[in-house]
Amino acid sequence: MSTETKCNPDLVRERAKCTFDVNELINLFYGSEKATKERRHFEDAVLAVKELKDAIPEEYLSHKERYENGVRKATILRDVYRDYKAKHNRDPPPNQITKAVIKDISPFLLHNGMFVPTIAGQGTPEQQAEWLPKAESMQIIGTYAQTELGHGSFIRGLETIATYDPKTEEFVLNNPTLTSFKWWPGGLGSTVNHCVVVAQLYINGKSHGIHPFIAQIRDLDTHKPLPGVKVGEIGPKMGFQTANNGFLGFDNFRIPRKNMLMKNAQVLKDGTFVKGINEKLTYGTMVMVRVGIVGDCSFYAALAATIAVRYSAVRHQSHIKASEPEAQILDYLTQQHKLFIAVASSHVYRNAYLWMEKMYTNVMKELSQDKQDNLPELHATACCLKAVCSRDAGSLVEECRLACGGHGYMASSNLPLTYGVTIAAVTYEGERTVLLLQTARYLMKAWMAALKGKVLSPSVSYLLNSLKESKKPWQNTPEGIVKGFQHVSFGKVKAAYETIQKYMKQGKDYEDAWNLASVQLVKASEAHSRAILCEVSWEAVCSSSASPNLSRVLQQLAQLYLTYWTLETSGDLLLYSNITKDDLIILRDKYEELLVAIRPNAVGLVDGFDLRDEILNSTLGSYDGRVYERLMEEALKSPLNQETVNSSFHKYLKPMMEKAKL
Ligand SMILES: CCCCCCCCCC/C=C\CCC/C=C/C(=O)SCCNC(=O)CCNC(=O)[C@H](O)C(C)(C)COP(=O)(O)OP(=O)(O)OC[C@H]1O[C@@H](n2cnc3c(N)ncnc32)[C@H](O)[C@@H]1OP(=O)(O)O
Ligand SMILES: Cc1cc2nc3c(=O)[nH]c(=O)nc-3n(C[C@H](O)[C@H](O)[C@H](O)COP(=O)(O)OP(=O)(O)OC[C@H]3O[C@@H](n4cnc5c(N)ncnc54)[C@H](O)[C@@H]3O)c2cc1C
């Protein structure tokens, strides 16, 4: 981090009034002092590589140049990772330094994030032995090709076909229709030479559902598409410009039998199909990534909050009191209302991610012992937390952008790009509504079990407690608020269930009744997610090892999250819990007191995310607060400022002006 010598005086004052030790917060957030040291050490190593620095901002490059620059940097970055591993005999620590290098999304994201994990998770030991060393050392580059032009959400409807030919012991891949073309996979456009293709398996004319296959699609020397492969890039998007998303179609393209990933289901040489223990295990990589996305949401909320809070400390506009100088905009309560929830939410998502990661690891361990009991709970929880956290994080980033006024609209603030990247997670890895409806299936089953007095899984056991406790008075404490959100979820789950029953009594079948109740079902899943986020984050804060000074501030943040959402969803609480109007008025006052209490620590709190200037990549958010200088420095980099008179003057403007004289 930069020294404070050239720092904006407002930021120096802000840091001086912080009531806790920022380094303690950093170490707590990232796990330990050792973890912080190792992460910073690795970040230093990456940032020391001169070739990773961009000569001009990426926004001035063409689509093609931007991609090529992305690949160039991704390959250098990969060398730094390899060298680190060779030197330390372990992977680099978790870090976000790719953001400082690639800025947008790496063309290797899908290779590392889904291709390698799918081989590891879906391949037999022999298949892992064949492909993992090559993939991990980047001798081959891959992606995860599942979504098609016609189907993304409903993956049982995918149209890519893999027909087994027992004579040659091969699968024949085909994309018989335009809608069957793979569409979206990252890196597919021009980067990868392999992919995991998810396709419908046919043996002797019989369908056996969707399965993952490894296909080499480009020549390793020439990088030309292999015969029978049609592949390309899908064009510019809202973000993800350097992710190199692509399309792909096969025409009678043959791959050996061993290329079907067979940890779960298998196809024997003679074409016998052997079912796996659970066909949904084929969806395993998606579950893992959904868990990871909750962690990503924490990062993006922290990044946007750091930029907007520091900027708001530096920016002065208007007066609170006519007799005093222009106020720091951070002193306006409305500004605090916009920003502090982003700071608090980053902590909430971080705690939820750590909690989910534990659940994921436990279930994977159980699955390795053929125990599947907790898989439905993992799937349901990953679905709803991914759906709610990504949408909330997108809204928080946008609110931070708006809170920076006009300058938040500048690309150099890095908030527009951050919004584009964050909001993509609402759609990828399972569209929000679709995932919430998956959780709703689980909630309906849990509700039916609760009615029968059965024991429920831990994440839904509150449904049973709520059944018993519905008459207890409301308590205006954090624990009381957590209970309140559980009551809301309970009420919405019950109402959705009863709505389905009502339609069925009217003669509708279950599927139609489900569709007619689906707005309520989605809301029940959202309420369930909110209850989990509130409970998990409050418990994490209460059990943290922080010093009293830090603990006080972390509790304030967690309470801010609880009260913010109480006030946002007060209608639901009035409907489904025993909260009263008077309780809400007390909580409104409490919320405002929390904003005022957090205000002196606002800059310290975002410093506690320990995001370097290179990662923030923002004129508004740097540690030293030289906002106006940076805005001007960046503007001067515009190619239009590299010449006094642009040629368009002579070509168009002057002729127009001269014509106008005639
Ligand atoms: C530990 C942390 C590690 C962190 C690592 C993080 C790495 C991050 C790096 C990468 C980051 C970003 C990558 C971005 C690029 C984006 C990639 C993509 O988008 S890839 C494509 C993703 N596509 C989707 O997500 C598709 C969404 N659709 C589906 O998943 C399915 O179609 C679904 C689930 C909606 C419906 O499936 P299906 O029709 O087969 O099921 P049913 O609805 O009939 O349900 C039947 C039954 O099955 C249960 N079920 C469904 N899925 C699962 C599952 N995954 N696991 C367990 N069980 C599952 C469902 O609940 C039903 O149960 P029932 O008892 O019958 O109710
Ligand atoms: C940036 C980005 C990167 C991606 N990367 C990859 C990748 O690397 N590999 C890959 O395979 N895919 C990738 N995808 C694709 C992504 O996984 C899909 O776009 C996503 O799963 C949503 O599917 P869809 O586009 O078919 O949306 P649709 O399902 O068509 O959604 C459109 C609307 O229909 C609604 N809808 C659909 N089904 C239902 C239902 N059953 N009930 C109620 N409403 C419904 C949705 O709620 C939504 O409002 C990427 C997408 C993006 C945006």
Side-chain angles (χ1 to χ4, degrees):
M1 232 174 226
S2 348
T3 59
E4 298 212 1
T5 44
K6 281 185 285 172
C7 222
N8 170 288
D10 281 313
L11 283 181
V12 174
R13 269 192 297 276
E14 293 294 337
R15 291 185 174 120
K17 62 186 175 199
C18 183
T19 62
F20 61 88
D21 175 1
V22 171
N23 284 320
E24 187 192 351
L25 174 57
I26 294 171
N27 296 336
L28 189 81
F29 195 76
Y30 292 98
S32 65
E33 192 178 342
K34 187 165 167 258
T36 303
K37 239 192 211 156
E38 286 178 357
R39 177 179 51 81
R40 286 183 177 170
H41 178 68
F42 180 67
E43 289 174 358
D44 286 341
V46 171
L47 294 174
V49 182
K50 280 202 295 296
E51 295 74 20
L52 288 176
K53 292 195 176 38
D54 283 319
I56 53 164
E58 296 224 323
E59 288 76 15
Y60 296 121
L61 301 180
S62 69
H63 184 61
K64 188 162 173 268
E65 289 166 336
R66 222 165 153 170
Y67 163 67
E68 287 164 358
N69 192 36
V71 176
R72 180 186 71 79
K73 289 186 288 182
T75 55
I76 300 173
L77 191 57
R78 135 88 209 147
D79 286 348
V80 182
Y81 270 73
R82 185 204 49 206
D83 296 348
Y84 183 98
K85 200 172 172 182
K87 191 168 163 196
H88 297 86
N89 206 19
R90 59 181 150 82
D91 284 324
N95 67 83
Q96 293 288 355
I97 203 68
T98 309
K99 277 281 140 209
V101 174
I102 313 276
K103 319 270 177 14
D104 193 336
I105 296 290
S106 166
F108 293 165
L109 175 73
L110 266 290
H111 174 87
N112 297 316
M114 291 192 83
F115 180 68
V116 172
T118 305
I119 299 172
Q122 316 276 326
T124 60
E126 299 74 43
Q127 291 176 316
Q128 291 181 27
E130 172 164 3
W131 283 299
L132 275 184
K134 286 185 204 153
E136 282 170 347
S137 62
M138 300 302 275
Q139 290 171 58
I140 60 172
I141 314 163
T143 185
Y144 183 81
Q146 180 173 289
T147 307
E148 298 171 357
L149 259 180
H151 288 91
S153 291
F154 181 56
I155 53 182
R156 276 187 289 135
L158 294 176
E159 296 175 82
T160 303
I161 290 170
T163 311
Y164 186 61
D165 179 351
K167 284 195 242 68
T168 57
E169 293 179 23
E170 288 172 319
F171 294 101
V172 189
L173 296 177
N174 270 299
N175 290 79
T177 58
L178 174 63
T179 49
S180 74
F181 264 64
K182 294 295 174 191
W183 190 272
W184 270 119
L188 187 57
S190 1
T191 314
V192 305
N193 42 43
H194 281 69
C195 53
V196 167
V197 183
V198 181
Q200 299 283 356
L201 170 65
Y202 278 85
I203 307 172
N204 293 326
K206 187 171 179 255
S207 163
H208 292 278
I210 55 166
H211 297 276
F213 301 84
I214 294 207
Q216 180 180 343
I217 56 166
R218 288 185 169 100
D219 184 271
L220 294 189
D221 281 331
T222 64
H223 206 55
K224 287 197 176 142
L226 296 179
V229 171
K230 192 170 175 187
V231 61
E233 197 245 350
I234 64 173
K237 295 138 287 179
M238 224 173 126
F240 271 60
Q241 307 304 353
T242 48
N244 193 227
N245 301 90
F247 64 81
L248 168 71
F250 294 107
D251 182 12
N252 285 320
F253 186 79
R254 288 180 169 263
I255 53 171
R257 187 181 66 90
K258 68 173 173 58
N259 283 28
M260 174 173 150
L261 290 174
M262 296 207 210
K263 180 173 175 188
N264 302 315
Q266 292 161 27
V267 175
L268 306 185
K269 284 184 184 175
D270 65 356
T272 305
F273 178 72
V274 184
K275 260 181 135 180
I277 51 163
N278 180 341
E279 60 184 22
K280 298 306 173 202
L281 291 177
T282 311
Y283 300 177
T285 315
M286 290 185 280
V287 178
M288 181 204 79
V289 176
R290 286 170 194 148
V291 173
I293 289 170
V294 177
D296 286 355
C297 291
S298 169
F299 167 70
Y300 286 117
L303 185 125
T306 304
I307 294 170
V309 167
R310 286 186 184 156
Y311 174 70
S312 299
V314 167
R315 178 77 162 176
H316 291 250
Q317 187 105 240
S318 312
H319 301 265
I320 292 177
K321 279 190 188 153
S323 57
E324 288 181 2
E326 282 195 278
Q328 288 169 283
I329 58 172
L330 192 54
D331 280 336
Y332 295 110
L333 202 78
T334 47
Q335 190 77 356
Q336 297 161 18
H337 172 56
K338 290 175 204 174
L339 301 184
F340 295 172
I341 185 62
V343 179
S345 300
S346 176
H347 285 269
V348 170
Y349 305 154
R350 174 86 187 157
N351 287 324
Y353 165 68
L354 295 173
W355 176 80
M356 277 249 62
E357 194 192 31
K358 250 189 222 150
M359 188 192 280
Y360 178 83
T361 310
N362 283 343
V363 174
M364 290 308 117
K365 200 171 147 203
E366 288 172 5
L367 284 173
S368 69
Q369 296 152 1
D370 281 353
K371 189 168 174 274
Q372 304 175 45
D373 311 12
N374 294 317
L375 181 63
E377 184 187 31
L378 171 69
H379 167 58
T381 317
C383 277
C384 70
L385 289 191
K386 181 271 188 188
V388 166
C389 295
S390 58
R391 184 76 182 95
D392 285 0
S395 304
L396 292 167
V397 171
E398 176 63 350
E399 196 62 29
C400 287
R401 189 187 71 73
L402 292 169
C404 295
H407 296 325
Y409 198 67
M410 293 293 298
S412 72
S413 74
N414 198 22
L415 290 168
L417 174 72
T418 303
Y419 177 66
V421 168
T422 311
I423 210 72
V426 179
T427 306
Y428 68 61
E429 221 53 62
E431 193 277 334
R432 173 184 158 85
T433 306
V434 170
L435 292 194
L436 288 171
L437 287 170
Q438 283 289 306
T439 308
R441 279 175 81 112
Y442 182 76
L443 291 174
M444 290 302 103
K445 280 193 172 175
W447 179 249
M448 285 186 274
L451 290 179
K452 289 179 191 151
K454 289 192 182 158
V455 178
L456 301 185
S457 303
S459 65
V460 282
S461 60
Y462 68 85
L463 291 174
L464 274 176
N465 300 339
S466 300
L467 256 176
K468 290 178 217 145
E469 288 176 0
S470 61
K471 293 286 172 298
K472 280 197 181 164
W474 173 270
Q475 289 204 314
N476 250 348
T477 58
E479 291 78 12
I481 295 176
V482 169
K483 279 233 150 67
F485 281 112
Q486 293 175 342
H487 283 303
V488 170
S489 177
F490 163 84
K492 292 194 173 201
V493 167
K494 180 171 181 281
Y497 175 81
E498 287 169 358
T499 302
I500 294 176
Q501 298 306 310
K502 178 190 80 181
Y503 285 119
M504 287 176 68
K505 276 190 197 130
Q506 289 171 6
K508 308 264 185 230
D509 58 26
Y510 188 76
E511 288 85 350
D512 283 332
W514 176 272
N515 191 30
L516 288 167
S518 59
V519 172
Q520 287 188 43
L521 286 162
V522 164
K523 288 190 185 299
S525 284
E526 285 172 333
H528 172 65
S529 314
R530 194 70 63 205
I532 294 180
L533 289 170
C534 288
E535 186 181 16
V536 167
S537 55
W538 182 247
E539 275 181 3
V541 162
C542 292
S543 61
S544 117
S545 57
S547 66
N549 279 356
L550 179 58
S551 185
R552 190 173 313 116
V553 184
L554 292 179
Q555 295 218 4
Q556 286 167 349
L557 277 183
Q559 288 189 37
L560 183 93
Y561 185 86
L562 296 177
T563 40
Y564 176 94
W565 281 106
T566 304
L567 299 172
E568 281 292 303
T569 56
S570 55
D572 288 339
L573 283 155
L574 285 167
L575 258 183
Y576 295 113
S577 78
N578 293 328
I579 200 167
T580 63
K581 242 167 92 180
D582 288 344
D583 294 322
L584 281 169
I585 289 167
I586 293 169
L587 286 173
R588 184 197 61 199
D589 294 349
K590 169 84 185 163
Y591 176 73
E592 289 162 7
E593 283 162 25
L594 282 166
L595 291 177
V596 173
I598 291 168
R599 165 64 188 89
N601 284 317
V603 169
L605 279 167
V606 297
D607 287 351
F609 291 130
D610 203 23
L611 299 175
R612 295 167 184 251
D613 285 356
E614 291 87 348
I615 294 175
L616 296 172
N617 190 28
S618 170
T619 42
L620 308 186
S622 55
Y623 189 82
D624 63 12
R626 288 175 61 249
V627 167
Y628 300 115
E629 293 88 334
R630 282 178 205 276
L631 278 164
M632 185 56 88
E633 281 160 21
E634 286 304 305
L636 292 176
K637 290 180 187 165
S638 166
L640 291 175
N641 290 326
Q642 309 314 311
E643 50 193 7
T644 318
V645 178
N646 181 257
S647 60
S648 64
F649 174 75
H650 299 289
K651 268 198 214 155
Y652 308 114
L653 298 180
K654 200 165 176 204
M656 178 189 74
M657 288 155 64
E658 278 169 358
K659 250 191 263 163
K661 282 193 229 154
L662 300 175

